[in-house]
């Protein structure tokens, strides 16, 4: 069909809002129309995510902007965020474009229920196009739908049959949108009861100067105590308030309640239209979805299948992501190494290598886990299994303030809290979503494991318990359990206090199972990965630079001069020693056989990395060439001098780094706040390492390595770091000379790390996903307080029992 476009509208951008019930295929249709031309943002002033994208219609020069409105069964709104999303549909937001056309996507297999929302949408007064999705399932179920009659019953609005998952009807829907944005139509047919329409008219006429739309007045009238009424009360006159109450009294007298007043008229019309336009061609047999649900929702089989699927996802996040994460780590390590070689030693080199490259790397290293997690979530959502997951788990979660949909985010948080928090987007209820976000960081993520590993191995005595358990395993299991228990307690407290939620009857639609489309899955995963990198990465990067600056400055010239002198002296002494040994060696290698053995011995000794390994290599060479003992001993003595000199140079550099770190602002803060952490059994070095690890808790290992003059290239398996920690003594105070670390101190450190929010990426992601710094700061504050108190209790109790 050729489109006729008025000249005045040729360059106009047409805004199209897309709405619909949850699980109606709205997002699939949205992705099919816009593809990768999408932008993700929040509505102005709130945290409800808004996805928009653009598309063109053939032979139409206009650009169409498609805005995805969050899925809903009704336009009734009882929270500020829900109301803003509804207002976006109504065009009531000052900073968001008012839609020129509204597209209501309907799951045709739930047509009678979906008409309820459609009737409310039609009241908005904008041109409406209906996308009748999942026509293939309707056909399999034997449903015969008179599309022309349905359109006529709805007042002549376009009704486009579709199979969004296969791209069927997409072009026709785009063309219908273009026509709807151009054609002049009669006012939409209204389905509310005459008494409601009359009451709305009286409200409108009582406020002639107000710019509210008619649809907003409908919500003011019907959503008692909702945000629409509260906004209205801010500007309404006492007479208008009195009129509103009077109108409600009349409606309650007529219908029994305000809820019934709205639902009765709309559901009666929906049932009537459904009966007139839908016929069953033959007896409906059990659908494929119903047959699958017989197993997947079975009281025994269902949970087993769920555990297997979640176990597979959990393992995949760990195992599939790790190689890619190692590659990313290697790439940024190589970039850092190149930068260190290209930039002269000094503040700029440290900023680029430790701050910029390290900061960017600390963000991007999470990407593989995020992509894998959201790949599975997209598959679960698009296949229709997500509502089944929520149904199976909801009873176990709802009593403490969580929901069935909290399960996947919390499980994901065991790998990493960042993707776990982002996964809470599947939870529609805002309060439940916020509770889940606030407790997700308590799950024991992989970044805590290095701390647990080194503390347990070094300071927790190994012993068998009951013949099949050991103390290391018990401690590790207890730390995992600690996070879970605290998460449940915090959820319960939040549910009863600042995020009050009611435990109502669980009602959830079970949509038909569908095969996810590649395009929809790819678009979801890419959007969420991009969202993480752009929105979280910038702030995380800033925090990393800040911590770098605190740990680098001020630089002490006295420390630098002292170590430069020692390094130079060591180098001169080493060169003299090597020169003498080389001369002696030349005297020994006078014949051809000796020279051949010397060359081989030098090559073999040179690839030996530490002086501790050299004697074994010498013995190996002596066994091969017993007649050349003098030559081999000479080569050994020379290589030992070279290696020991190199090791001494590294020790001096590590000592210098440790001294500068101790002198830095971070080190000074550690010494200043040492008394605050003394009840936890910590000295200033543990305190400083803990403070430095707030951007990322695994940093504590490298920081301890630097503090104990071993350099930052240590890990949880470093025996030299364990030895240094075991030998560490209190430098002053009442405990001067006593060991710093003990089992009680190790338990205190591990409990602190189990409960504290030491992850800049997590804090920033909470801010982004929950909708403000107040939630991020609140999570950080309660977790840090919990961590401090719990660590103190553990230390005080354990130390009194002699540990």
């Amino acid at each position: 069909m050729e489109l006729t476009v008025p000249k005045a509208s040729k360059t106009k951008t047409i805004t199209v809002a897309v709405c619909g019930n949850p699980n109606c295929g709205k997002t699939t249709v949205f992705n099919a129309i816009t593809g990768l031309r999408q932008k993700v943002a929040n509505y102005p002033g709130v945290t409800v995510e808004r996805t928009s994208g653009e598309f063109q219609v053939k032979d139409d020069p206009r650009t169409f902007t498609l805005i995805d409105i969050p899925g809903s069964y009704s336009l009734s709104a009882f929270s500020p965020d829900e109301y803003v999303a509804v207002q976006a549909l109504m065009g009531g937001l000052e900073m968001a474009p008012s839609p020129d056309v509204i597209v209501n996507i309907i799951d045709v297999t739930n047509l009678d229920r979906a008409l309820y929302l459609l009737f409310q949408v039609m009241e908005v007064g904008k041109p409406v196009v209906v996308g009748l999705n999942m026509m293939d399932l309707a056909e399999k179920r034997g449903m015969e739908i008179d599309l022309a009659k349905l359109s006529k019953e709805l007042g002549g609005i376009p009704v486009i049959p579709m199979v969004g998952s296969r791209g069927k009807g997409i072009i026709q829907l785009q063309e219908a949108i273009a026509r709807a944005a151009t054609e002049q139509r009669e006012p939409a047919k209204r389905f509310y009861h005459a008494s409601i329409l009359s009451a709305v008219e009286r409200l409108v006429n009582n406020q002639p100067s107000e710019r509210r739309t008619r649809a907003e007045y409908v919500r003011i009238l019907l959503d008692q105590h909702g945000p629409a009424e509260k906004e209205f009360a801010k500007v309404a006159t006492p007479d208008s308030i009195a009129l509103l109450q009077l109108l409600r009294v009349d409606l309650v007298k007529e219908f029994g309640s305000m809820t019934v007043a709205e639902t009765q008229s709309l559901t009666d019309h929906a049932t009537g239209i459904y009966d007139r336009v839908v016929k069953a061609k033959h007896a409906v047999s059990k659908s494929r979805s119903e047959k699958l649900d017989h197993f997947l929702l079975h009281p025994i089989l269902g949970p087993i299948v769920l555990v297997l699927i979640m176990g597979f996802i959990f393992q995949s996040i760990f195992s599939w992501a790790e190689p890619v994460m190692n590659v990313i780590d290697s790439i940024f390590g190589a970039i850092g190494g190149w930068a260190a070689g290209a930039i002269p030693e000094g503040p700029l080199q440290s900023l680029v290598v430790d701050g910029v490259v390290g900061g960017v790397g600390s963000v991007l290293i999470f990407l593989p886990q995020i992509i894998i997690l959201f790949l599975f979530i997209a598959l679960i959502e698009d296949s229709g299994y997500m509502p089944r997951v929520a149904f199976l788990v909801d009873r176990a979660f709802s009593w403490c303030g969580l929901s069935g949909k909290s399960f996947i985010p919390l499980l994901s948080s065991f790998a990493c809290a960042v993707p776990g928090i982002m996964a809470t987007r599947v939870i529609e209820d805002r309060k439940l979503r916020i509770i889940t976000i606030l407790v997700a960081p308590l799950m024991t993520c992989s970044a805590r494991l290095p701390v647990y590993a080194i503390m347990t191995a070094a300071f927790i005595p190994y012993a068998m318990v009951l013949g099949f358990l050991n103390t290391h395993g018990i401690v590790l299991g207890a730390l995992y359990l600690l996070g879970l228990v605290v998460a449940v307690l915090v959820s319960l407290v939040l549910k009863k206090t600042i995020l009050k939620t009611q435990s109502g009857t669980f009602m959830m639609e079970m949509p038909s199972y569908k095969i996810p489309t590649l395009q929809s899955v790819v678009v979801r995963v890419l959007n969420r990965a991009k969202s993480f990198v752009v929105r979280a990465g910038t702030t995380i990067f800033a925090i990393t630079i800040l911590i770098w600056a605190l740990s680098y400055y001020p630089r002490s010239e006295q420390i630098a001069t002292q170590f430069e002198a020692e390094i130079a002296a060591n180098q001169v002494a080493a060169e003299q020693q090597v020169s003498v040994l080389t001369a002696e060696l030349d005297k020994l290698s006078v014949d051809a056989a000796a020279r051949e053995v010397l060359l081989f011995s030098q090559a073999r000794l040179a690839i030996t990395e530490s002086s501790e390994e050299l004697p074994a290599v010498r013995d190996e060479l002596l066994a091969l060439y017993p007649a050349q003992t003098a030559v081999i001993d000479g080569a050994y003595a020379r290589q030992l001098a070279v290696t020991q000199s190199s090791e001494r140079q590294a020790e001096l550099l590590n000592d210098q780094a440790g001294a500068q770190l101790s002198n830095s602002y971070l080190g000074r803060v550690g010494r200043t706040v040492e008394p605050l952490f003394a009840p936890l059994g910590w000295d200033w070095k543990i305190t400083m390492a803990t403070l430095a690890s707030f951007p990322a808790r695994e940093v504590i290992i490298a920081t301890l390595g630097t503090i104990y003059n071993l350099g930052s290239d240590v890990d949880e398996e470093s025996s030299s770091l364990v030895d240094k920690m075991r030998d560490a003594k209190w430098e002053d105070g009442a405990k001067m000379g006593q060991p710093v670390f003990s089992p009680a101190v190790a338990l205190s450190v591990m409990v602190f790390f189990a409960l504290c929010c030491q992850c800049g990426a997590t804090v920033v992601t909470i801010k982004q996903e929950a909708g403000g710094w107040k939630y991020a700061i609140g999570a950080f504050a309660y977790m840090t307080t919990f961590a401090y108190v719990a660590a103190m209790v553990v230390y005080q109790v354990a130390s009194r029992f002699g540990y």
Side-chain angles (χ1 to χ4, degrees):
M1 179 181 292
E2 187 175 348
L3 299 173
T4 302
V5 181
K7 290 182 179 179
S9 63
K10 280 185 181 300
T11 57
K12 180 182 178 183
T13 297
I14 306 298
T15 302
V16 184
V18 184
C19 65
N21 294 160
N23 304 312
C24 68
K26 177 171 62 71
T27 303
T28 301
V29 172
F30 183 88
N31 290 338
I33 294 177
T34 60
L36 296 175
R37 293 159 296 179
Q38 296 182 7
K39 296 179 181 176
V40 180
N42 284 344
Y43 286 105
V46 294
T47 60
V48 179
E49 191 171 85
R50 183 184 72 173
T51 306
S52 62
E54 294 184 347
F55 69 94
Q56 300 286 146
V57 178
K58 186 180 180 183
D59 299 328
D60 192 324
R62 298 172 296 181
T63 298
F64 294 81
T65 298
L66 213 57
I67 298 174
D68 191 8
I69 304 294
S72 172
Y73 293 107
S74 167
L75 293 189
S76 298
F78 291 95
S79 74
D81 287 351
E82 290 173 347
Y83 183 57
V84 170
V86 171
Q87 276 193 308
L89 186 65
M90 297 178 177
L93 296 181
E94 291 183 2
M95 298 175 65
S98 175
D100 299 297
V101 179
I102 298 175
V103 174
N104 192 166
I105 302 297
I106 287 178
D107 174 0
V108 70
T109 61
N110 290 306
L111 178 60
D112 50 347
R113 189 200 57 208
L115 289 175
Y116 185 95
L117 175 64
L118 177 61
F119 296 156
Q120 292 179 323
V121 169
M122 292 172 68
E123 196 65 30
V124 173
K126 302 285 184 179
V128 176
V129 175
V130 172
L132 212 56
N133 197 22
M134 304 185 194
M135 289 296 292
D136 55 339
L137 295 177
E139 188 175 335
K140 288 180 180 177
R141 294 186 181 188
M143 294 175 66
E144 185 181 276
I145 302 165
D146 189 334
L147 298 177
K149 193 171 184 177
L150 175 60
S151 176
K152 185 179 178 181
E153 290 277 358
L154 296 174
I157 63 175
V159 176
I160 310 300
M162 308 181 66
V163 182
S165 59
R166 299 181 194 170
K168 290 185 177 179
I170 296 296
I171 294 176
Q172 291 79 358
L173 182 68
Q174 291 175 312
E175 292 175 346
I177 292 170
R179 289 195 298 274
T182 304
E183 296 173 354
Q184 297 295 321
R185 289 189 174 277
E186 295 293 324
K189 188 175 181 179
R190 288 173 175 152
F191 294 92
Y192 280 101
H193 193 278
S195 300
I196 296 176
L197 295 176
S198 174
V200 172
E201 288 298 328
R202 291 184 63 184
L203 271 180
V204 174
N205 294 333
N206 192 255
Q207 298 280 331
S209 61
E210 283 292 315
R211 292 186 177 180
R212 297 177 192 279
T213 64
R214 178 187 175 80
E216 288 178 280
Y217 277 108
V218 173
R219 301 306 353 142
I220 290 169
L221 176 67
L222 298 176
D223 296 347
Q224 195 167 11
H225 306 308
E229 180 185 349
K230 292 175 183 174
E231 290 295 317
F232 175 73
K234 292 178 182 176
V235 296
T237 63
D239 288 346
S240 299
I241 299 293
L243 175 62
L244 176 62
Q245 301 305 327
L246 178 65
L247 294 171
R248 283 177 175 167
V249 169
D250 291 341
L251 289 174
V252 171
K253 284 181 182 176
E254 183 174 354
F255 295 98
S257 71
M258 293 303 297
T259 303
V260 173
E262 181 168 29
T263 58
Q264 182 175 309
S265 54
L266 297 187
T267 53
D268 286 349
H269 280 298
T271 303
I273 292 175
Y274 183 87
D275 292 339
R276 290 192 289 275
V277 303
V278 177
K279 294 180 181 178
K281 287 193 297 188
H282 51 75
V284 179
S285 59
K286 273 193 172 181
S287 67
R288 183 177 56 183
S289 295
E290 290 170 333
K291 293 176 183 175
L292 280 172
D293 280 342
H294 180 70
F295 297 100
L296 296 179
L297 296 182
H298 188 275
I300 298 175
L301 291 177
I304 293 174
V305 173
L306 176 62
V307 168
L308 291 175
I309 292 175
M310 292 304 133
F312 178 74
I313 293 174
F314 190 56
Q315 285 299 316
S316 300
I317 292 172
F318 264 126
S319 56
W320 294 2
E322 188 175 0
V324 186
M325 293 174 76
N326 290 337
V327 170
I328 293 175
D329 193 38
S330 300
I331 290 173
F332 279 92
I335 294 173
W338 174 82
I343 303 173
E345 188 175 345
L348 181 61
Q349 184 199 72
S350 181
L351 172 63
V352 172
V353 175
D354 301 326
V356 177
V357 178
V360 174
S362 69
V363 174
L364 294 186
I365 200 166
F366 290 115
L367 258 185
Q369 290 185 337
I370 289 173
I371 289 174
I372 292 172
L373 172 63
F374 281 113
L375 171 66
F376 282 112
I377 288 182
L379 292 173
I380 290 174
E381 283 185 321
D382 285 7
S383 67
Y385 187 58
M386 182 66 80
R388 275 84 177 176
V389 174
F391 173 78
L392 289 169
V393 184
D394 191 77
R395 182 174 295 179
F397 275 59
S398 59
W399 68 274
C400 66
L402 300 171
S403 84
K405 289 192 174 181
S406 304
F407 179 66
I408 290 179
L410 293 182
L411 181 70
S412 305
S413 297
F414 277 103
C416 175
V418 174
I421 292 169
M422 294 177 72
T424 59
R425 295 176 183 182
V426 300
I427 305 172
E428 292 89 359
D429 186 293
R430 177 163 170 71
K431 289 182 179 177
L432 294 177
R433 184 176 176 222
I434 296 294
I435 292 175
T436 308
I437 287 173
L438 295 180
V439 302
L442 287 168
M443 301 301 107
T444 301
C445 68
S446 54
R448 290 178 168 102
L449 292 179
V451 184
Y452 295 168
I454 196 166
M455 291 293 170
T456 303
F459 302 107
I460 304 300
Y462 183 90
M464 294 301 294
V465 178
L466 300 176
F468 63 97
L469 298 174
N470 65 67
T471 49
H472 288 184
I474 292 174
V475 169
L476 191 60
L479 290 168
Y480 270 80
L481 190 61
L482 177 65
L484 280 173
V485 171
V486 173
V488 169
L489 293 176
V490 172
S491 301
L492 198 57
V493 171
L494 291 174
K495 175 190 176 183
K496 299 290 184 183
T497 56
I498 60 176
L499 292 170
K500 285 185 178 178
T501 57
Q502 299 292 326
S503 298
T505 303
F506 182 77
M507 294 182 65
M508 177 167 283
E509 174 198 358
M510 294 299 165
S512 302
Y513 289 105
K514 298 176 285 290
I515 297 175
T517 64
L518 179 62
Q519 183 189 33
S520 181
V521 171
V522 169
V523 167
R524 280 173 187 255
V525 173
L526 290 182
N527 275 343
R528 286 168 177 175
K530 179 182 175 184
S531 174
F532 166 72
V533 172
V534 174
R535 293 163 62 185
T538 50
T539 312
I540 297 167
F541 177 71
I543 293 174
T544 305
I545 295 296
L546 175 63
I547 294 296
W548 167 83
L550 289 174
S551 61
Y552 187 84
Y553 289 105
R555 305 300 285 179
S556 169
E557 288 298 326
Q558 183 180 357
I559 293 174
T561 304
Q562 173 193 337
F563 280 97
E564 284 172 3
E566 288 190 42
I567 290 170
N570 176 70
Q571 190 167 356
V572 170
E575 287 175 354
Q576 290 176 346
Q577 185 180 11
V578 170
S579 178
V580 170
L581 292 171
T582 302
E584 292 177 356
L585 192 56
D586 289 342
K587 296 175 184 175
L588 296 172
S589 53
V590 293
D591 57 42
R595 286 197 294 273
E596 184 178 342
V597 171
L598 175 62
L599 290 174
F600 178 77
S601 301
Q602 285 179 325
R604 181 69 183 84
L605 290 164
I607 61 173
T608 306
E609 295 184 350
S610 74
S611 56
E612 294 178 356
E613 297 174 358
L614 284 175
V617 177
R618 182 189 61 179
D619 293 342
E620 175 190 328
L621 293 170
L622 289 175
L624 290 172
Y625 307 103
Q628 298 291 348
T629 300
V631 170
I632 292 172
D633 280 344
Y636 165 77
R638 183 182 182 281
Q639 187 60 40
L640 182 62
V642 171
T643 305
Q644 287 179 335
S645 172
S646 177
E647 290 174 344
R648 180 57 185 156
Q649 293 291 86
E651 285 178 6
L652 289 170
L653 289 172
N654 290 335
D655 290 348
Q656 183 181 15
Q660 292 286 12
L661 180 60
S662 300
N663 182 63
S664 69
Y665 291 121
L666 196 63
R668 298 178 186 185
V669 170
R671 289 182 183 277
T672 303
V673 301
E674 182 186 18
L676 182 64
F677 288 86
L680 281 64
W682 300 2
D683 70 344
W684 73 271
K685 292 182 178 179
I686 303 176
T687 302
M688 186 182 72
T690 303
L691 293 177
S693 63
F694 270 93
R697 50 177 62 87
E698 60 269 37
V699 170
I700 190 175
I701 302 297
T703 307
L704 285 172
T706 304
I707 293 173
Y708 287 116
N709 301 333
L710 295 172
S712 58
D713 294 332
V714 294
D715 56 28
E716 65 273 18
E717 297 177 353
S718 171
S719 59
S720 55
L721 178 57
V722 169
D723 292 340
K724 285 278 188 179
M725 290 164 63
R726 285 174 173 164
D727 294 339
K729 301 287 193 300
W730 283 85
E731 297 174 351
D732 48 31
K735 297 181 180 177
M736 186 174 177
Q738 296 180 19
V740 172
F741 286 92
S742 65
V745 172
L747 287 172
S748 170
V749 171
M750 287 190 286
V751 167
F752 189 89
F753 274 70
L755 300 180
C756 190
C757 190
Q758 294 166 290
C759 180
T762 297
V763 175
V764 174
T765 307
I766 291 174
K767 180 259 177 182
Q768 299 289 356
E769 297 299 317
W773 280 110
K774 64 178 182 181
Y775 294 106
I777 294 172
F780 179 81
Y782 97 76
M783 288 184 67
T784 304
T785 304
F786 256 119
Y788 181 90
V789 174
M792 180 176 63
V793 170
V794 166
Y795 172 73
Q796 295 295 338
V797 172
S799 60
R800 278 162 175 71
F801 279 91
Y803 291 104

